[in-house]
Amino acid sequence: MDPLASVNPYVSLKEGSRLGKVYERLPERSARFLRYKGVEPSTESSHGLLAFEFEVHNVADIKAGYSALSYTWGHPIIDDFKDDLSFGVICNGQCMPIGINLNGALQHVYVESDIAPPLFWVDALCINQSDLDERAKQVSLMTSIYSSAANVVVWLGTDDTDAHEAHALLSEYSPALKNIISDLITENPMGLIGAGMVNLYDDPKIHERYHLTPWPMDAWKAVVRFLSRRWFSRIWIVQELVFNNSHLMCCGPLRFNWSDLDRFVSLVFGAQWHGLNFHGVERETSKIARIFTFHREIRMSATEYMNDDPHFNLLSTEGKLYDFAQSYLLSSAFLEATDPRDRVFALSAFVNAYGAKLGLRPIWLRADYTLQATEVMLRTAQVLIWKTRSLDMLSYVSDLSYRAESNLPSWMPHFHVPGAVASVESLLDLHQGRKYHAGSLSTAVQTVSDVYLHMDSPGQELETQGYLLDTVEQIVLFDSGFISTMEICLSLPPMYVNGESPVEALWRTLIAGRTDTAFPAPPETANDFALFVRAGLIGISMEALEAKNKDALLRLITVLGEIEARCPHPSIPTVAEFNGILSSALGDLDGCLKMLTELHASSTYRTMMSPTHWGQKGKALFRTRKGFLGLSPHSTRVGDEVWLLKGARLFHVLRKAEVASDERVLLGEGYVHGFMEGEALRLDGMNYAHVTIK
């Protein structure tokens, strides 16, 4: 019995004796294909029903050309749409219910267009969804089915105004973009072409040179809404596209090209969506960028797994295989799956393909729809920790306040819950984040973690060795305001543990010690921090004056005065300097607002700091009893413990499970300034002790 049968709308409708003759048992390595027979009159539809016959072929030996359909169950646009399967087709003489989007796809292929293939493979019809054994076997054949197809017909749904607007914009800009990229390479052969470097939105020089029409913001938002259609975020489409390079992308009568879309997203929008301000659809733009980046990276892995992690080349061949598997399981966690177990099953093709290149047969969970989702995820996590001997996975647990209640251990990311894997806000995924080596003296030295997993224990505890660096004594949440952030300097010793001033320790901590191009951050980054502080102080002052909030102004001046007296730093203005800045601002309000806008727009420090604020709630700033400064999960509270687990690249914040218990609950990863390059290993009396994470 399938414990998640309720998530599959086709299961209950295909159970019962009336479909027994339709779904006869399949021979090994074989699949059903649809052959179109025409339209048959029906009392259920005034237009009649599309009629098909099943043909069974061995996937490896099929001679007839066929196409495979790539689409999404449910509605193509609406997430929470309840599909009642009110449409139907006839298969082998039996009327079979289908959903709204599949009906649209079949109507377009066989009635509204000239793209009908001789044979068609469609998962909802060609697989007996109520036969768990057949489902599992067909999932294992999916790579062969899609790679052997003459082409993949992609159905994005019926067309609408957004689709037409997007099609018009892309039809003009995509050909020009190829010429722009070609010219950039010709003009600067050694230059790098990076994300978001081509501004097609409002750069008049580009518009004039390439004879382009400036499109209004509404059109750009239409592109965002079009690229937010549910098909793009499905996890199964990854292999459907990667293992077959011939795609026919249909949105009603409109045709799109995946390569053009990928080039457009990566070079025009990129990670920062260059030049654009998408009010109301910011979350969608971020997700679109992540989707195309993931597709690009896993497509590259189909030829060669590229990992810029310094320790990757130190791994054994087997270690590289499971590093690959873990990397893509974690980075794909934001994609959608009707059945959460498919987050593991859908990646098996890539794990097996990479294993074959390395001459290895990976241990990876076969598709088995009799298992609970939590069991699939737990088994997978256990294999990955066992094989990688790494604790990197612990960096991807979501904040405690966002974790759904379950019987899963605290150390395991909830892969099966959409959005519950902290892949966006992980310190390891920051630029330069892979250069942290808190648990070793060098990135050139391979370290492994001593991990024992209690697989047979009800609690599934993780047992390892660790060093308790210190306990948390003060927490500052970023949403508590800029003044609170600066105030933490006043609770630090006059000289930080590594000889830095409290202010320098603060500005380095806020960006997790790195910039987009260097770790540790170069000293000149302090100049960027000074501009960031200036903008923050002016903004706070203007808000306080507008609200006639004298207390806020007094608090600001008091904090500046105390910093000036106890730990002065060039990036923090003195009270006299601040009064001068404020007077100038009040004397030219329009100029002040313009300056603030420019400072916010050009603040490289703000860009460097943003990743530590990303995710569900962002990080918290903490100070320990010994005066160490760092970043931790948002849910950290006073009394929580900062541990260095043996072999880990980062610190981890743990909380005692119970007063009388030695077990801990994992809150998440942590950054401790001055200790990210193995410094803790040199501390007097440093010894690892046993620690159990439940």
Side-chain angles (χ1 to χ4, degrees):
M1 179 179 177
D2 182 358
L4 270 70
S6 61
V7 304
N8 186 330
Y10 289 94
V11 168
S12 61
L13 290 166
K14 293 186 178 180
E15 291 176 334
S17 59
R18 68 188 182 92
L19 295 181
K21 293 183 179 180
V22 175
Y23 288 114
E24 295 180 348
R25 188 171 184 82
L26 285 171
E28 289 296 317
R29 306 289 301 173
S30 296
R32 298 182 190 87
F33 297 85
L34 297 171
R35 185 176 290 279
Y36 181 58
K37 307 303 291 183
V39 178
E40 292 190 7
S42 171
T43 57
E44 298 182 20
S45 171
S46 58
H47 302 291
L49 297 180
L50 302 182
F52 301 91
E53 285 186 358
F54 281 132
E55 289 187 11
V56 177
H57 295 272
N58 185 289
V59 175
D61 300 330
I62 185 170
K63 303 299 182 185
Y66 70 91
S67 297
L69 181 64
S70 177
Y71 70 112
T72 181
W73 290 7
H75 197 281
I77 299 175
I78 304 171
D79 285 327
D80 56 356
F81 179 80
K82 184 171 178 57
D83 198 341
D84 58 4
L85 306 189
S86 56
F87 298 89
V89 294
I90 296 173
C91 291
N92 283 20
Q94 177 69 55
C95 182
M96 300 181 67
I98 59 173
I100 183 174
N101 199 37
L102 178 52
N103 180 70
L106 295 176
Q107 289 291 332
H108 179 75
V109 169
Y110 291 103
V111 178
E112 301 166 357
S113 71
D114 59 356
I115 63 173
L119 293 174
F120 208 18
W121 189 85
V122 179
D123 61 352
L125 294 172
C126 296
I127 300 175
N128 184 354
Q129 300 291 334
S130 62
D131 186 331
L132 302 187
D133 183 60
E134 180 177 311
R135 276 173 66 191
K137 289 179 178 178
Q138 291 291 289
V139 164
S140 69
L141 287 175
M142 294 274 272
T143 304
S144 297
I145 290 172
Y146 278 93
S147 62
S148 300
N151 71 350
V152 174
V153 176
V154 174
W155 179 247
L156 301 174
T158 54
D159 52 315
D160 60 8
T161 303
D162 286 339
H164 281 272
E165 194 86 12
H167 189 268
L169 187 151
L170 291 165
S171 295
E172 178 180 0
Y173 282 1
S174 293
L177 189 58
K178 294 180 183 178
N179 295 329
I180 293 170
I181 300 306
S182 177
D183 289 345
L184 286 172
I185 294 173
T186 301
E187 294 165 6
N188 186 10
M190 302 303 293
L192 296 176
I193 299 177
M197 68 177 298
V198 181
N199 181 6
L200 291 180
Y201 174 58
D202 60 0
D203 188 332
K205 293 181 180 178
I206 289 182
H207 291 162
E208 182 179 354
R209 179 176 177 179
Y210 296 96
H211 310 291
L212 297 174
T213 306
W215 286 74
M217 176 55 68
D218 286 345
W220 287 85
K221 287 186 176 181
V223 174
V224 173
R225 289 190 293 269
F226 169 72
L227 293 174
S228 297
R229 285 182 173 235
R230 292 182 60 239
W231 178 86
F232 289 98
S233 60
R234 283 183 59 238
I235 196 166
W236 278 115
I237 73 160
V238 181
Q239 69 163 299
E240 294 166 7
L241 293 186
V242 167
F243 291 109
N244 192 310
N245 291 320
S246 180
H247 317 131
L248 183 60
M249 297 187 70
C250 310
C251 184
L254 303 174
R255 300 292 182 261
F256 293 87
N257 179 279
W258 176 265
S259 296
D260 287 343
L261 293 177
D262 181 42
R263 185 182 302 108
F264 189 83
V265 170
S266 64
L267 297 175
V268 177
F269 291 163
Q272 301 297 327
W273 295 78
H274 181 75
L276 305 179
N277 190 4
F278 289 103
H279 288 302
V281 289
E282 295 90 346
R283 189 177 296 273
E284 288 84 350
T285 60
S286 175
K287 185 173 182 179
I288 291 165
R290 292 181 68 197
I291 287 170
F292 279 85
T293 298
F294 178 77
H295 274 268
R296 205 173 305 120
E297 289 178 348
I298 205 162
R299 186 177 291 276
M300 289 172 61
S301 76
T303 55
E304 183 68 33
Y305 176 46
M306 307 295 288
N307 192 314
D308 59 359
D309 190 334
H311 94 296
F312 181 71
N313 290 328
L314 301 175
L315 299 176
S316 65
T317 302
E318 185 180 62
K320 291 179 179 178
L321 170 62
Y322 289 99
D323 180 90
F324 167 88
Q326 177 168 279
S327 173
Y328 283 109
L329 179 63
L330 292 167
S331 59
S332 68
F334 70 98
L335 296 174
E336 302 293 332
T338 302
D339 189 323
R341 295 167 294 190
D342 286 338
R343 296 184 181 282
V344 171
F345 301 154
L347 292 180
S348 61
F350 297 100
V351 176
N352 289 326
Y354 190 63
K357 288 175 186 174
L358 298 177
L360 297 173
R361 176 174 253 174
I363 297 175
W364 195 255
L365 193 62
R366 293 177 180 271
D368 183 349
Y369 291 99
T370 65
L371 299 175
Q372 291 282 1
T374 52
E375 190 174 1
V376 171
M377 303 306 156
L378 186 58
R379 289 188 188 183
T380 303
Q382 289 169 335
V383 166
L384 290 174
I385 287 184
W386 168 43
K387 288 295 187 179
T388 62
R389 309 304 296 174
S390 165
L391 294 173
D392 285 355
M393 184 183 292
L394 276 60
S395 283
Y396 297 88
V397 298
S398 57
D399 190 80
L400 197 60
S401 61
Y402 272 85
R403 288 183 212 168
E405 288 191 21
S406 74
N407 58 355
L408 291 172
S410 66
W411 55 263
M412 201 198 97
H414 290 193
F415 308 113
H416 60 299
V417 180
V421 173
S423 55
V424 176
E425 61 267 34
S426 169
L427 294 170
L428 288 178
D429 287 340
L430 297 177
H431 290 295
Q432 312 301 312
R434 298 281 166 173
K435 293 184 179 178
Y436 297 133
H437 54 95
S440 64
L441 295 175
S442 168
T443 55
V445 178
Q446 183 181 3
T447 58
V448 295
S449 301
D450 293 333
V451 180
Y452 178 76
L453 295 169
H454 293 262
M455 296 185 182
D456 298 327
S457 167
Q460 304 288 341
E461 297 87 358
L462 182 150
E463 195 175 306
T464 187
Q465 298 289 309
Y467 171 66
L468 175 57
L469 179 71
D470 206 356
T471 55
V472 174
E473 190 170 73
Q474 182 182 0
I475 289 290
V476 176
L477 301 178
F478 289 120
D479 54 13
S480 62
F482 185 56
I483 301 177
S484 297
T485 302
M486 289 198 303
E487 273 184 317
I488 205 167
C489 294
L490 302 174
S491 59
L492 295 176
M495 182 181 292
Y496 195 68
V497 64
N498 61 2
E500 295 170 352
S501 71
V503 173
E504 181 173 359
L506 175 63
W507 73 250
R508 288 185 178 277
T509 299
L510 292 177
I511 57 174
R514 34 51 74 204
T515 67
D516 288 350
T517 57
F519 171 76
E524 56 268 24
T525 311
N527 299 327
D528 299 319
F529 176 66
L531 291 175
F532 172 76
V533 170
R534 182 185 180 94
L537 294 177
I538 294 175
I540 293 170
S541 302
M542 299 301 288
E543 289 178 7
L545 288 170
E546 185 178 358
K548 297 181 180 179
N549 188 344
K550 294 182 180 179
D551 291 340
L553 271 178
L554 180 61
R555 182 187 175 203
L556 176 57
I557 293 171
T558 300
V559 171
L560 290 176
E562 291 187 9
I563 291 177
E564 179 183 353
R566 296 168 56 183
C567 51
H569 191 272
S571 61
I572 307 290
T574 64
V575 173
E577 290 169 341
F578 170 71
N579 286 333
I581 294 170
L582 187 57
S583 296
S584 298
L586 292 175
D588 181 11
L589 288 177
D590 290 339
C592 174
L593 291 174
K594 182 179 179 182
M595 180 189 67
L596 272 178
T597 302
E598 291 174 352
L599 283 173
H600 279 288
S602 62
S603 175
T604 55
Y605 187 85
R606 180 182 296 276
T607 302
M608 288 183 277
M609 192 174 73
S610 291
T612 63
H613 290 62
W614 285 349
Q616 294 146 340
K617 286 190 175 180
K619 303 293 184 189
L621 181 66
F622 72 81
R623 177 184 58 80
T624 70
R625 291 176 182 172
K626 296 176 183 176
F628 304 147
L629 204 58
L631 299 171
S632 66
H634 188 276
S635 293
T636 305
R637 62 193 187 202
V638 173
D640 289 335
E641 302 171 340
V642 182
W643 284 76
L644 176 62
L645 303 180
K646 187 176 182 180
R649 295 196 266 187
L650 302 166
F651 287 84
H652 292 87
V653 182
L654 307 181
R655 179 176 297 165
K656 286 189 176 181
E658 298 171 7
V659 176
S661 172
D662 289 333
E663 294 181 335
R664 265 83 175 167
V665 172
L666 175 67
L667 301 186
E669 64 180 7
Y671 168 92
V672 184
H673 185 60
F675 289 93
M676 302 306 293
E677 296 183 275
E679 293 88 347
L681 302 178
R682 300 188 180 97
L683 292 175
D684 291 338
M686 191 279 179
N687 284 301
Y688 287 117
H690 171 86
V691 61
T692 300
I693 303 174
K694 63 178 293 186

